[in-house]
Amino acid sequence: MIKTVSNQTRNSQASNLEDKNNQKHFTLIERTFNSNVKSDYTEKIEELGKNFNYQVNRDFYWSDPELSVLYGTPIYQAASPSQKIALNHLFWVAMYNGVAANEAATILYNQVTRGVFVKVGGYETLCRELETETNQEHYHVKTFQKVGYKTKQALLGKALLKNSFQSKWYKSQKQRRLRGNIVNLLPKKLLFSLDWDKTWRWTVEKMLPGQKNYRSQYLEELVQRNEPIPVYADGIAGLLAPRQMLPFFVYNWGSSPFLASQYYTTRYIVNLVLKNQEHSYFKYFKDLHKRSEFIPTPTAISHFHLLDESFHTTISQTIARDLYKDFSPPTAYEKFVANMAIYMMQHNVLSGISCIFPSECVTDEPLFMLLCYKILRSPIFGMSSDEALNSMQQSLCQENEGFHVTLKYHQRLLSDLRRFFNDIDYLWPVNREMRLMDSAANIDRAIQANIKTFKQFAKAVA
């Protein structure tokens, strides 16, 4: 005789399963928070930054050679041993300059989303973890900036650290590229005349009328003081969207439990981008330690930073994959905002492969060209303007090993992201399968993009 299961029993089973799943991610958050608080990685990072002396570290590789500026290009192949070490150091500086910008933005977004979870209630440990992360990021940013500045000063000289007309050109190119995504649909007069903070706030309040009780206290205090939302134009945070559009996402992330959780899907992408690169430094540290060899300070900083960030990555993954299910199913509007954020991350952050910075999943944009030019004109290479431009054209505009190294990192990151996004049910197929990122893994396309950007850059320099 076949036994039937009543609706009441079925609902009870579903409720028990939900409670079990909730308990699972609450337990993981509790364990992660306790481990993070007990660790001393942040303190070690701070101490290493305080004591950094470039002269002590100047003669050693800080990672495997392939994590070097221009690795695999004709410029790199012709470089002397000391020049190759300098390119290895400058890769670390450039990478962690971006990490510092990302973590400065994380400080803001953690406070915004934490305010939502406080309003929801019942997530006290999570809120304490986010507060701990925010404090840790302050020390990370300070250390990266200190080590980076000292290294650039030693290798490039003070004159080349100052802004120039090329910097202005880069900014104009970046704004034009970002505006090209969505904001250029608006009339130019309207684009520059609107009070974007008020416009986006009004839009979000209208689209999320039932969520006003969850609005982040952090955002409410900004509104009460009539202050705009801080905007970070550098790093991945600045590439997500045009400057005028960033407050739109911040208001959404700070106004809905679902969207506050969805922000951590975006943050997890940033976590994985970093881990994809930083794990090489971590392994390099382990190899040096095993052989009882000298460990450069920046290598040690990378090692302990990966350990510190592992807690942050776990929290991002848990919120993005599991916590959002605690709340009401997302509305059509909430799904649209969530998917748009991931789509724009693919379009702007995971949109190609670099030759100047192996492992960067973006084409060699104007900033990369500018930094490359400055390096070649610096005391490291001492090239004239014509020599630098000729070398850049030979190295950036034809196939070489550097592109293939980046393709390796790109494919590994793509695989990790697809594995993660496969379990998130509200995503569009183009996001769940990371189709834009997949289509960007094309060396010929990267070379054609470099040719176009290089021609514009060479014209600006001439």
Side-chain angles (χ1 to χ4, degrees), residues 105-348:
T106 297
I107 291 171
L108 166 65
Y109 301 148
N110 276 7
Q111 294 177 88
V112 170
T113 54
R114 177 182 175 276
V116 176
F117 297 132
V118 168
K119 289 285 188 71
V120 173
Y123 295 92
E124 288 77 13
T125 302
L126 173 60
C127 292
R128 291 168 66 194
E129 166 62 21
L130 295 178
E131 188 174 8
T132 300
E133 290 180 6
T134 298
N135 292 333
Q136 291 171 331
E137 302 292 31
H138 282 288
Y139 292 105
H140 295 174
V141 170
K142 188 175 180 179
T143 297
F144 299 149
Q145 291 176 338
K146 181 178 293 186
V147 174
Y149 181 79
K150 288 183 177 180
T151 303
K152 287 188 292 184
Q153 188 177 43
L155 290 174
L156 303 178
K158 291 183 179 181
L160 285 169
L161 297 182
K162 296 179 180 178
N163 290 331
S164 63
F165 77 95
Q166 292 103 340
S167 299
K168 296 178 182 178
W169 171 80
Y170 156 68
K171 290 178 182 178
S172 68
Q173 292 289 315
K174 177 183 175 183
Q175 288 303 313
R176 186 174 68 179
R177 179 170 67 86
L178 288 176
R179 285 203 302 270
N181 295 328
I182 292 177
V183 180
N184 69 339
L185 297 176
L186 300 174
K188 186 172 291 187
K189 184 176 180 180
L190 181 63
L191 177 65
F192 293 103
S193 63
L194 281 178
D195 183 329
W196 285 99
D197 266 68
K198 292 181 180 178
T199 300
W200 294 132
R201 186 171 75 245
W202 179 88
T203 302
V204 172
E205 288 175 356
K206 292 298 181 183
M207 297 305 296
L208 297 171
Q211 306 282 6
K212 62 181 180 179
N213 292 331
Y214 299 122
R215 219 156 276 148
S216 173
Q217 184 65 29
Y218 182 87
L219 289 184
E220 290 181 349
E221 289 175 358
L222 285 178
V223 172
Q224 290 169 5
R225 296 194 301 266
N226 198 30
E227 295 179 10
I229 290 177
V231 172
Y232 294 89
D234 296 321
I236 292 176
L239 289 176
L240 169 63
R243 187 181 187 89
Q244 297 92 339
M245 194 175 181
L246 284 173
F248 169 77
F249 287 106
V250 180
Y251 276 121
N252 276 290
W253 292 332
S255 300
S256 152
F258 168 78
L259 288 173
S261 302
Q262 184 277 320
Y263 156 70
Y264 290 87
T265 309
T266 306
R267 196 180 90 161
Y268 188 69
I269 294 176
V270 181
N271 294 145
L272 283 190
V273 169
L274 172 60
K275 184 180 178 181
N276 191 40
Q277 299 170 322
E278 201 166 45
H279 187 265
S280 296
Y281 289 96
F282 181 83
K283 184 176 181 298
Y284 193 72
F285 175 99
K286 291 293 186 184
D287 291 342
L288 292 176
H289 181 73
K290 185 177 181 180
R291 299 194 300 265
S292 299
E293 295 182 13
F294 174 79
I295 299 176
T297 297
T299 308
I301 290 172
S302 296
H303 171 264
F304 290 115
H305 185 253
L306 184 141
L307 293 174
D308 230 5
E309 284 294 314
S310 67
F311 302 122
H312 304 191
T313 302
T314 298
I315 291 299
S316 294
Q317 184 181 49
T318 303
I319 298 175
R321 186 188 59 196
D322 301 316
L323 195 74
Y324 80 91
K325 298 174 184 177
D326 290 0
F327 311 120
S328 300
T331 64
Y333 170 77
E334 288 175 313
K335 286 184 179 180
F336 172 76
V337 172
N339 277 281
M340 185 166 64
I342 304 302
Y343 186 91
M344 292 177 72
M345 286 288 285
Q346 286 197 75
H347 187 276
N348 295 331

